[in-house]
Amino acid sequence: RKRRWRRELEEEEERPGRKRMIKAVGWVILVSSVAFLLLFVSATFLVRLLPQSENPVVRFIQGDSHYCLLVPVTIPVYFIAIYFNWFSINLYKSS
């Protein structure tokens, strides 16, 4: 059963252009993640430096006191998620 699964996986990897497509999708995810990070960081910290606006979204962000604390709190959670991902991969490989 494992051999058949491995053979199917190898045949799928041998298709032309598959690696290029996977690499392109990876770059799209990476660039969009960085763009969203910059957008939300600017919305959190830089909008507070602007004078009072009549835009309701900007006014809401300027008056918010919880979201600016959410970003720093997610950093430890991010590292914990990376650790659990690494741990689960090691358990999977060793079984």
PDB file of all heavy atoms in Angstrom, residues 11-36:
ATOM      1  N   GLU A  11       5.077  10.062  -9.501  1.00  0.00           N
ATOM      2  CA  GLU A  11       4.555  10.363 -10.828  1.00  0.00           C
ATOM      3  C   GLU A  11       3.964  11.766 -10.881  1.00  0.00           C
ATOM      4  O   GLU A  11       4.112  12.479 -11.872  1.00  0.00           O
ATOM      5  CB  GLU A  11       3.489   9.343 -11.216  1.00  0.00           C
ATOM      6  CG  GLU A  11       4.039   7.968 -11.499  1.00  0.00           C
ATOM      7  CD  GLU A  11       2.943   6.947 -11.710  1.00  0.00           C
ATOM      8  OE1 GLU A  11       1.741   7.317 -11.638  1.00  0.00           O
ATOM      9  OE2 GLU A  11       3.275   5.772 -11.920  1.00  0.00           O
ATOM     10  N   GLU A  12       3.315  12.178  -9.803  1.00  0.00           N
ATOM     11  CA  GLU A  12       2.725  13.504  -9.766  1.00  0.00           C
ATOM     12  C   GLU A  12       3.812  14.579  -9.741  1.00  0.00           C
ATOM     13  O   GLU A  12       3.670  15.634 -10.349  1.00  0.00           O
ATOM     14  CB  GLU A  12       1.833  13.643  -8.534  1.00  0.00           C
ATOM     15  CG  GLU A  12       1.037  14.921  -8.522  1.00  0.00           C
ATOM     16  CD  GLU A  12       0.042  14.936  -7.384  1.00  0.00           C
ATOM     17  OE1 GLU A  12      -0.608  13.918  -7.135  1.00  0.00           O
ATOM     18  OE2 GLU A  12      -0.060  15.998  -6.750  1.00  0.00           O
ATOM     19  N   GLU A  13       4.914  14.316  -9.045  1.00  0.00           N
ATOM     20  CA  GLU A  13       6.005  15.286  -8.968  1.00  0.00           C
ATOM     21  C   GLU A  13       6.742  15.415 -10.295  1.00  0.00           C
ATOM     22  O   GLU A  13       7.353  16.434 -10.572  1.00  0.00           O
ATOM     23  CB  GLU A  13       6.991  14.895  -7.875  1.00  0.00           C
ATOM     24  CG  GLU A  13       6.467  15.122  -6.476  1.00  0.00           C
ATOM     25  CD  GLU A  13       7.452  14.672  -5.415  1.00  0.00           C
ATOM     26  OE1 GLU A  13       8.466  14.042  -5.780  1.00  0.00           O
ATOM     27  OE2 GLU A  13       7.208  14.940  -4.243  1.00  0.00           O
ATOM     28  N   GLU A  14       6.697  14.396 -11.124  1.00  0.00           N
ATOM     29  CA  GLU A  14       7.424  14.408 -12.384  1.00  0.00           C
ATOM     30  C   GLU A  14       6.712  15.205 -13.478  1.00  0.00           C
ATOM     31  O   GLU A  14       7.289  15.442 -14.532  1.00  0.00           O
ATOM     32  CB  GLU A  14       7.661  12.972 -12.860  1.00  0.00           C
ATOM     33  CG  GLU A  14       8.641  12.216 -11.995  1.00  0.00           C
ATOM     34  CD  GLU A  14       8.785  10.769 -12.429  1.00  0.00           C
ATOM     35  OE1 GLU A  14       8.097  10.367 -13.393  1.00  0.00           O
ATOM     36  OE2 GLU A  14       9.549  10.048 -11.796  1.00  0.00           O
ATOM     37  N   ARG A  15       5.480  15.616 -13.239  1.00  0.00           N
ATOM     38  CA  ARG A  15       4.763  16.378 -14.252  1.00  0.00           C
ATOM     39  C   ARG A  15       5.492  17.686 -14.522  1.00  0.00           C
ATOM     40  O   ARG A  15       5.913  18.375 -13.595  1.00  0.00           O
ATOM     41  CB  ARG A  15       3.333  16.655 -13.808  1.00  0.00           C
ATOM     42  CG  ARG A  15       2.499  15.421 -13.799  1.00  0.00           C
ATOM     43  CD  ARG A  15       1.040  15.700 -13.695  1.00  0.00           C
ATOM     44  NE  ARG A  15       0.706  16.803 -12.805  1.00  0.00           N
ATOM     45  CZ  ARG A  15      -0.408  16.878 -12.114  1.00  0.00           C
ATOM     46  NH1 ARG A  15      -1.277  15.915 -12.199  1.00  0.00           N
ATOM     47  NH2 ARG A  15      -0.658  17.902 -11.352  1.00  0.00           N
ATOM     48  N   PRO A  16       5.645  18.057 -15.787  1.00  0.00           N
ATOM     49  CA  PRO A  16       6.386  19.286 -16.108  1.00  0.00           C
ATOM     50  C   PRO A  16       5.639  20.535 -15.643  1.00  0.00           C
ATOM     51  O   PRO A  16       4.428  20.628 -15.739  1.00  0.00           O
ATOM     52  CB  PRO A  16       6.500  19.248 -17.630  1.00  0.00           C
ATOM     53  CG  PRO A  16       5.398  18.360 -18.074  1.00  0.00           C
ATOM     54  CD  PRO A  16       5.176  17.369 -16.970  1.00  0.00           C
ATOM     55  N   GLY A  17       6.383  21.470 -15.121  1.00  0.00           N
ATOM     56  CA  GLY A  17       5.817  22.733 -14.687  1.00  0.00           C
ATOM     57  C   GLY A  17       5.232  22.725 -13.297  1.00  0.00           C
ATOM     58  O   GLY A  17       4.844  23.767 -12.788  1.00  0.00           O
ATOM     59  N   ARG A  18       5.140  21.568 -12.675  1.00  0.00           N
ATOM     60  CA  ARG A  18       4.537  21.487 -11.337  1.00  0.00           C
ATOM     61  C   ARG A  18       5.377  22.225 -10.301  1.00  0.00           C
ATOM     62  O   ARG A  18       4.841  22.965  -9.483  1.00  0.00           O
ATOM     63  CB  ARG A  18       4.342  20.049 -10.929  1.00  0.00           C
ATOM     64  CG  ARG A  18       3.734  19.907  -9.553  1.00  0.00           C
ATOM     65  CD  ARG A  18       3.012  18.604  -9.412  1.00  0.00           C
ATOM     66  NE  ARG A  18       2.547  18.396  -8.068  1.00  0.00           N
ATOM     67  CZ  ARG A  18       1.414  18.874  -7.583  1.00  0.00           C
ATOM     68  NH1 ARG A  18       0.638  19.595  -8.353  1.00  0.00           N
ATOM     69  NH2 ARG A  18       1.042  18.623  -6.344  1.00  0.00           N
ATOM     70  N   LYS A  19       6.687  22.027 -10.343  1.00  0.00           N
ATOM     71  CA  LYS A  19       7.555  22.699  -9.374  1.00  0.00           C
ATOM     72  C   LYS A  19       7.518  24.212  -9.575  1.00  0.00           C
ATOM     73  O   LYS A  19       7.534  24.971  -8.612  1.00  0.00           O
ATOM     74  CB  LYS A  19       8.984  22.179  -9.489  1.00  0.00           C
ATOM     75  CG  LYS A  19       9.153  20.785  -8.949  1.00  0.00           C
ATOM     76  CD  LYS A  19      10.598  20.376  -8.960  1.00  0.00           C
ATOM     77  CE  LYS A  19      10.735  18.964  -8.423  1.00  0.00           C
ATOM     78  NZ  LYS A  19      12.124  18.532  -8.396  1.00  0.00           N
ATOM     79  N   ARG A  20       7.468  24.642 -10.824  1.00  0.00           N
ATOM     80  CA  ARG A  20       7.400  26.060 -11.115  1.00  0.00           C
ATOM     81  C   ARG A  20       6.100  26.671 -10.593  1.00  0.00           C
ATOM     82  O   ARG A  20       6.091  27.770 -10.043  1.00  0.00           O
ATOM     83  CB  ARG A  20       7.518  26.284 -12.618  1.00  0.00           C
ATOM     84  CG  ARG A  20       8.317  27.504 -12.964  1.00  0.00           C
ATOM     85  CD  ARG A  20       8.551  27.674 -14.434  1.00  0.00           C
ATOM     86  NE  ARG A  20       8.925  26.423 -15.067  1.00  0.00           N
ATOM     87  CZ  ARG A  20       8.600  26.092 -16.305  1.00  0.00           C
ATOM     88  NH1 ARG A  20       7.916  26.931 -17.053  1.00  0.00           N
ATOM     89  NH2 ARG A  20       8.959  24.947 -16.830  1.00  0.00           N
ATOM     90  N   MET A  21       4.990  25.938 -10.761  1.00  0.00           N
ATOM     91  CA  MET A  21       3.707  26.421 -10.286  1.00  0.00           C
ATOM     92  C   MET A  21       3.698  26.501  -8.758  1.00  0.00           C
ATOM     93  O   MET A  21       3.224  27.487  -8.186  1.00  0.00           O
ATOM     94  CB  MET A  21       2.574  25.511 -10.753  1.00  0.00           C
ATOM     95  CG  MET A  21       1.210  26.016 -10.331  1.00  0.00           C
ATOM     96  SD  MET A  21      -0.096  24.815 -10.457  1.00  0.00           S
ATOM     97  CE  MET A  21       0.393  23.597  -9.274  1.00  0.00           C
ATOM     98  N   ILE A  22       4.235  25.496  -8.099  1.00  0.00           N
ATOM     99  CA  ILE A  22       4.280  25.497  -6.635  1.00  0.00           C
ATOM    100  C   ILE A  22       5.130  26.655  -6.135  1.00  0.00           C
ATOM    101  O   ILE A  22       4.785  27.336  -5.167  1.00  0.00           O
ATOM    102  CB  ILE A  22       4.793  24.144  -6.115  1.00  0.00           C
ATOM    103  CG1 ILE A  22       3.754  23.069  -6.375  1.00  0.00           C
ATOM    104  CG2 ILE A  22       5.136  24.213  -4.640  1.00  0.00           C
ATOM    105  CD1 ILE A  22       4.208  21.669  -6.055  1.00  0.00           C
ATOM    106  N   LYS A  23       6.246  26.909  -6.808  1.00  0.00           N
ATOM    107  CA  LYS A  23       7.110  28.016  -6.426  1.00  0.00           C
ATOM    108  C   LYS A  23       6.389  29.349  -6.629  1.00  0.00           C
ATOM    109  O   LYS A  23       6.487  30.249  -5.791  1.00  0.00           O
ATOM    110  CB  LYS A  23       8.401  27.978  -7.236  1.00  0.00           C
ATOM    111  CG  LYS A  23       9.464  28.887  -6.734  1.00  0.00           C
ATOM    112  CD  LYS A  23      10.756  28.651  -7.485  1.00  0.00           C
ATOM    113  CE  LYS A  23      11.857  29.514  -6.926  1.00  0.00           C
ATOM    114  NZ  LYS A  23      13.135  29.300  -7.605  1.00  0.00           N
ATOM    115  N   ALA A  24       5.652  29.491  -7.709  1.00  0.00           N
ATOM    116  CA  ALA A  24       4.915  30.728  -7.976  1.00  0.00           C
ATOM    117  C   ALA A  24       3.828  30.957  -6.926  1.00  0.00           C
ATOM    118  O   ALA A  24       3.652  32.078  -6.438  1.00  0.00           O
ATOM    119  CB  ALA A  24       4.311  30.693  -9.372  1.00  0.00           C
ATOM    120  N   VAL A  25       3.114  29.905  -6.568  1.00  0.00           N
ATOM    121  CA  VAL A  25       2.078  30.026  -5.540  1.00  0.00           C
ATOM    122  C   VAL A  25       2.711  30.412  -4.208  1.00  0.00           C
ATOM    123  O   VAL A  25       2.181  31.244  -3.463  1.00  0.00           O
ATOM    124  CB  VAL A  25       1.273  28.712  -5.419  1.00  0.00           C
ATOM    125  CG1 VAL A  25       0.392  28.716  -4.190  1.00  0.00           C
ATOM    126  CG2 VAL A  25       0.448  28.490  -6.661  1.00  0.00           C
ATOM    127  N   GLY A  26       3.863  29.837  -3.898  1.00  0.00           N
ATOM    128  CA  GLY A  26       4.572  30.192  -2.671  1.00  0.00           C
ATOM    129  C   GLY A  26       4.953  31.660  -2.634  1.00  0.00           C
ATOM    130  O   GLY A  26       4.798  32.332  -1.616  1.00  0.00           O
ATOM    131  N   TRP A  27       5.433  32.176  -3.772  1.00  0.00           N
ATOM    132  CA  TRP A  27       5.797  33.590  -3.837  1.00  0.00           C
ATOM    133  C   TRP A  27       4.573  34.484  -3.696  1.00  0.00           C
ATOM    134  O   TRP A  27       4.630  35.535  -3.057  1.00  0.00           O
ATOM    135  CB  TRP A  27       6.541  33.900  -5.129  1.00  0.00           C
ATOM    136  CG  TRP A  27       7.997  33.605  -5.019  1.00  0.00           C
ATOM    137  CD1 TRP A  27       8.668  32.566  -5.566  1.00  0.00           C
ATOM    138  CD2 TRP A  27       8.971  34.365  -4.293  1.00  0.00           C
ATOM    139  NE1 TRP A  27       9.997  32.619  -5.228  1.00  0.00           N
ATOM    140  CE2 TRP A  27      10.208  33.722  -4.455  1.00  0.00           C
ATOM    141  CE3 TRP A  27       8.912  35.514  -3.523  1.00  0.00           C
ATOM    142  CZ2 TRP A  27      11.374  34.200  -3.863  1.00  0.00           C
ATOM    143  CZ3 TRP A  27      10.076  35.989  -2.947  1.00  0.00           C
ATOM    144  CH2 TRP A  27      11.282  35.336  -3.119  1.00  0.00           C
ATOM    145  N   VAL A  28       3.471  34.082  -4.288  1.00  0.00           N
ATOM    146  CA  VAL A  28       2.243  34.879  -4.169  1.00  0.00           C
ATOM    147  C   VAL A  28       1.788  34.933  -2.715  1.00  0.00           C
ATOM    148  O   VAL A  28       1.421  36.001  -2.196  1.00  0.00           O
ATOM    149  CB  VAL A  28       1.132  34.307  -5.078  1.00  0.00           C
ATOM    150  CG1 VAL A  28      -0.223  34.897  -4.742  1.00  0.00           C
ATOM    151  CG2 VAL A  28       1.472  34.535  -6.530  1.00  0.00           C
ATOM    152  N   ILE A  29       1.827  33.802  -2.033  1.00  0.00           N
ATOM    153  CA  ILE A  29       1.432  33.772  -0.627  1.00  0.00           C
ATOM    154  C   ILE A  29       2.374  34.626   0.211  1.00  0.00           C
ATOM    155  O   ILE A  29       1.935  35.385   1.088  1.00  0.00           O
ATOM    156  CB  ILE A  29       1.395  32.315  -0.113  1.00  0.00           C
ATOM    157  CG1 ILE A  29       0.245  31.561  -0.773  1.00  0.00           C
ATOM    158  CG2 ILE A  29       1.266  32.264   1.404  1.00  0.00           C
ATOM    159  CD1 ILE A  29       0.249  30.075  -0.507  1.00  0.00           C
ATOM    160  N   LEU A  30       3.670  34.534  -0.049  1.00  0.00           N
ATOM    161  CA  LEU A  30       4.649  35.304   0.705  1.00  0.00           C
ATOM    162  C   LEU A  30       4.470  36.808   0.498  1.00  0.00           C
ATOM    163  O   LEU A  30       4.428  37.586   1.460  1.00  0.00           O
ATOM    164  CB  LEU A  30       6.064  34.887   0.311  1.00  0.00           C
ATOM    165  CG  LEU A  30       7.198  35.579   1.047  1.00  0.00           C
ATOM    166  CD1 LEU A  30       7.206  35.149   2.501  1.00  0.00           C
ATOM    167  CD2 LEU A  30       8.515  35.251   0.390  1.00  0.00           C
ATOM    168  N   VAL A  31       4.321  37.228  -0.751  1.00  0.00           N
ATOM    169  CA  VAL A  31       4.173  38.659  -1.049  1.00  0.00           C
ATOM    170  C   VAL A  31       2.861  39.199  -0.478  1.00  0.00           C
ATOM    171  O   VAL A  31       2.833  40.290   0.103  1.00  0.00           O
ATOM    172  CB  VAL A  31       4.270  38.900  -2.576  1.00  0.00           C
ATOM    173  CG1 VAL A  31       3.845  40.305  -2.949  1.00  0.00           C
ATOM    174  CG2 VAL A  31       5.682  38.621  -3.053  1.00  0.00           C
ATOM    175  N   SER A  32       1.786  38.435  -0.598  1.00  0.00           N
ATOM    176  CA  SER A  32       0.513  38.917  -0.056  1.00  0.00           C
ATOM    177  C   SER A  32       0.549  38.970   1.471  1.00  0.00           C
ATOM    178  O   SER A  32      -0.024  39.881   2.069  1.00  0.00           O
ATOM    179  CB  SER A  32      -0.648  38.052  -0.542  1.00  0.00           C
ATOM    180  OG  SER A  32      -0.492  36.731  -0.089  1.00  0.00           O
ATOM    181  N   SER A  33       1.239  38.041   2.101  1.00  0.00           N
ATOM    182  CA  SER A  33       1.360  38.069   3.559  1.00  0.00           C
ATOM    183  C   SER A  33       2.125  39.301   4.018  1.00  0.00           C
ATOM    184  O   SER A  33       1.733  39.972   4.979  1.00  0.00           O
ATOM    185  CB  SER A  33       2.075  36.817   4.064  1.00  0.00           C
ATOM    186  OG  SER A  33       1.357  35.670   3.762  1.00  0.00           O
ATOM    187  N   VAL A  34       3.216  39.617   3.342  1.00  0.00           N
ATOM    188  CA  VAL A  34       3.993  40.806   3.700  1.00  0.00           C
ATOM    189  C   VAL A  34       3.173  42.069   3.448  1.00  0.00           C
ATOM    190  O   VAL A  34       3.194  43.007   4.259  1.00  0.00           O
ATOM    191  CB  VAL A  34       5.328  40.830   2.922  1.00  0.00           C
ATOM    192  CG1 VAL A  34       6.025  42.167   3.076  1.00  0.00           C
ATOM    193  CG2 VAL A  34       6.235  39.711   3.391  1.00  0.00           C
ATOM    194  N   ALA A  35       2.420  42.099   2.369  1.00  0.00           N
ATOM    195  CA  ALA A  35       1.594  43.271   2.068  1.00  0.00           C
ATOM    196  C   ALA A  35       0.527  43.478   3.143  1.00  0.00           C
ATOM    197  O   ALA A  35       0.316  44.603   3.615  1.00  0.00           O
ATOM    198  CB  ALA A  35       0.939  43.117   0.698  1.00  0.00           C
ATOM    199  N   PHE A  36      -0.139  42.399   3.551  1.00  0.00           N
ATOM    200  CA  PHE A  36      -1.147  42.519   4.604  1.00  0.00           C
ATOM    201  C   PHE A  36      -0.518  42.903   5.939  1.00  0.00           C
ATOM    202  O   PHE A  36      -1.086  43.693   6.698  1.00  0.00           O
ATOM    203  CB  PHE A  36      -1.950  41.229   4.760  1.00  0.00           C
ATOM    204  CG  PHE A  36      -3.037  41.085   3.747  1.00  0.00           C
ATOM    205  CD1 PHE A  36      -3.021  40.048   2.838  1.00  0.00           C
ATOM    206  CD2 PHE A  36      -4.088  41.988   3.699  1.00  0.00           C
ATOM    207  CE1 PHE A  36      -4.016  39.911   1.889  1.00  0.00           C
ATOM    208  CE2 PHE A  36      -5.095  41.867   2.754  1.00  0.00           C
ATOM    209  CZ  PHE A  36      -5.051  40.817   1.855  1.00  0.00           C
TER     210      PHE A  36
END
